[in-house]
Amino acid sequence: MSDLRVAVLGVGVMGSYHAAALAERIAHARVTVVSDADGPRAERVARAVGARVEADPLAAIDAADVDAVVIASPGFAHEAQVLACLDRRIPVLCEKPLTLTADTAYRIVEREATLATPLVQLGFMRRFDAEYAALRSLVASGELGAPLLLHCVHRNPAQSDAFTSEMMMRDSVVHEADVARFLLDEEIVAVTVKRPRASREAPPGVSDPMLVLMETESGRLVDVEISGRSRVAYEVRTELVAEHGNAMIGLDGGPLVARTGGVRGRVQTAGFIERFATAYDTELQRWVRAARRGTVDGPGTWDGYAAVAVCAAGVEAVRTGARVPVELAPRPVRAAA
Ligand SMILES: NC(=O)c1ccc[n+]([C@@H]2O[C@H](COP(=O)([O-])OP(=O)(O)OC[C@H]3O[C@@H](n4cnc5c(N)ncnc54)[C@H](O)[C@@H]3O)[C@@H](O)[C@H]2O)c1
C-alpha cells in the first residue's frame, strides 16, 4: 500500500509540528499539500516538508493528491473544513475543539453518523500519553475500587492578552473535559466555575486562574485549576481518588539534577509540545495507520461534541457564576455499513 498523502490545514504552532512529524517521524505518510491563511508561512512549511501550497483550504481538501487531512487551523475554521472532508469521504484528524458551539459540533456528529465508518478523529492527544493510558488501565482494572474524585491542574506559563477566560475554557479546559470522560467513562452533566482574585499577570477582565468543577452522571466530581499565566512552566497533573487508593500523573519524572549553588531539582516541561511530544506522534501514527484503511482510530466526533458542550457550559458558568447543566442531544446510531 502506498504512503498516505496528507494535506495540513493551518501550519502555526500545532500544524507545523504535525507537518514536520509526518515528514520526518511518521511511517507510511507524507505531506503533499499545505494551506494556511498566512501565505508566506504556508510557503515556508511546504518547502520544509516537500509539499505544495494550496491557498484555499477547501481546494486542498478536494485535491487529487490528497488522501486525508490534518486540520490545525483555529477552531472557528474547523466546521467548514471537517464537513468538506466528510463530503469527500476522506479521513481527518481535527485538532480540538471540534467547533466553537455545541450545535455546530452536533451537526458534524449527525453528518458523520450517516456514513458507514467514522472518518473524524479529534486531537485529544492525552489519550495517547503513556501516563494517561496507564491511569485509565488502572481505573478499568478495578484495583483501586470505584473512582470518586479527579483533581486536575492545568497551568500554562504564559499566554497573550488575547487568551481570555472564554479561551481558557474552550482551548485549555477542553482537554480536562475529555480526560475526565476518558478516565471515568461517563458524561459530564454540569459545570460550575469559581473565580478567585485574578493574577496581576492577567489583562483587565480576564479571570486567571479559575477553578472549574464538573459533575458526572454518576455523581463523581472533577475539579480543574486552570491558569494561563503561572510564570512557572507547563504543569499538567491529574490525581484520581478512588475507594481504595489514589494515583497521580504528570510529575515530570526527568533526572534529578544538582547544580552549582547547591540547588537540586527536576526541570519541568516548558510547554505542551515538550510534555506531550510522544503522545502527539503516537496519535498521528495511529491515525495514519487507520486512515490508510479508510477509517480513524481514536476519539471521535461524539467525544469532540461532548467536550465542546462541557466547555460551552463552562463559558456560561464563567459569565453567570451559576451551575450550568450540560444537556447532550441523543447519540445517533451509525448507519449500517
Ligand atoms: N492538541 C493540543 O494540545 C493543541 C495544542 C495547541 C493548539 N491546538 C489546536 O490546534 C489549532 C491551531 O492552534 P495553534 O496553536 O497552532 O494556532 P496558531 O495560531 O499558531 O496557528 C493557526 C494557523 O492557522 C492559520 N489559519 C487561520 N485561518 C485559517 C483557515 N481558515 N484555514 C487554514 N489555516 C488558517 C493561521 O494563519 C495560523 O498559521 C487550534 O484548534 C488549537 O486549539 C491543539
Side-chain angles (χ1 to χ4, degrees):
M1 205 185 281
S2 50
D3 281 356
L4 188 77
R5 299 167 304 169
V6 181
V8 181
L9 313 184
V11 282
V13 176
M14 203 65 253
S16 61
Y17 187 79
H18 287 321
L22 287 164
E24 294 160 16
R25 302 186 294 279
I26 303 298
H28 309 302
R30 62 194 162 92
V31 184
T32 46
V33 178
V34 164
S35 184
D36 194 292
D38 179 336
R41 179 177 290 174
E43 290 289 351
R44 223 173 22 249
V45 174
R47 207 174 312 122
V49 300
R52 67 183 181 85
V53 171
E54 189 71 71
D56 176 2
L58 299 183
I61 292 167
D62 268 338
D65 55 351
V66 167
D67 305 315
V69 177
V70 170
I71 298 179
S73 53
F76 65 79
H78 293 180
E79 182 190 3
Q81 295 175 356
V82 171
L83 287 173
C85 292
L86 292 180
D87 284 346
R88 222 200 120 189
R89 307 264 203 281
I90 53 174
V92 53
L93 175 64
C94 177
E95 269 306 338
K96 47 68 65 173
L98 178 54
T99 65
L100 297 189
T101 69
D103 286 350
T104 50
Y106 190 64
R107 271 206 289 282
I108 293 178
V109 172
E110 285 185 303
R111 172 81 182 85
E112 197 210 36
T114 65
L115 306 178
T117 178
L119 286 178
V120 182
Q121 182 168 328
L122 262 290
F124 288 126
M125 77 299 179
R126 290 192 196 176
R127 293 184 180 223
F128 298 92
D129 172 70
E131 282 193 304
Y132 278 102
L135 189 53
R136 182 175 152 96
S137 300
L138 187 61
V139 171
S141 74
E143 198 186 319
L144 299 184
L148 306 172
L149 299 167
L150 211 52
H151 301 297
C152 307
V153 169
H154 185 160
R155 296 188 194 127
N156 291 281
Q159 292 286 5
S160 76
D161 282 0
F163 210 74
T164 59
S165 321
E166 181 174 334
M167 284 187 71
M168 286 164 68
M169 195 64 64
R170 289 190 198 284
D171 263 49
S172 296
V173 177
V174 68
H175 280 297
E176 272 72 24
D178 185 63
V179 155
R181 296 180 62 259
F182 175 63
L183 293 175
L184 302 176
D185 205 17
E186 59 175 335
E187 299 295 352
I188 292 158
V189 295
V191 184
T192 309
V193 178
K194 288 287 182 192
R195 302 185 299 161
R197 205 205 90 157
S199 162
R200 277 173 292 189
E201 300 289 341
V206 173
S207 301
D208 186 356
M210 294 188 284
L211 285 181
V212 182
L213 187 67
M214 304 176 191
E215 300 166 42
T216 71
E217 23 181 18
S218 76
R220 294 172 176 134
L221 291 180
V222 179
D223 61 80
V224 184
E225 177 212 310
I226 178 67
S227 295
R229 299 157 177 91
S230 70
R231 293 292 181 263
V232 178
Y234 183 68
E235 297 173 272
V236 169
R237 290 193 285 279
T238 304
E239 183 178 19
L240 172 93
V241 178
E243 289 169 319
H244 305 139
N246 54 71
M248 186 188 278
I249 59 170
L251 293 174
D252 278 334
L256 192 57
V257 180
R259 296 180 197 284
T260 307
V263 178
R264 189 195 298 275
R266 294 193 165 94
V267 176
Q268 293 185 295
T269 44
F272 50 86
I273 298 282
E274 292 85 349
R275 167 68 178 86
F276 289 110
T278 308
Y280 288 120
D281 282 6
T282 306
E283 163 190 80
L284 201 51
Q285 186 66 75
R286 290 258 300 265
W287 174 76
V288 164
R289 205 171 291 140
R292 291 173 83 223
R293 300 191 315 268
T295 187
V296 288
D297 178 18
T301 53
W302 181 260
D303 302 299
Y305 160 64
V308 168
V310 169
C311 293
V315 169
E316 196 185 330
V318 173
R319 199 169 45 77
T320 61
R323 172 186 180 275
V324 179
V326 180
E327 277 150 13
L328 298 180
R331 187 168 185 161
V333 179
R334 180 169 305 288

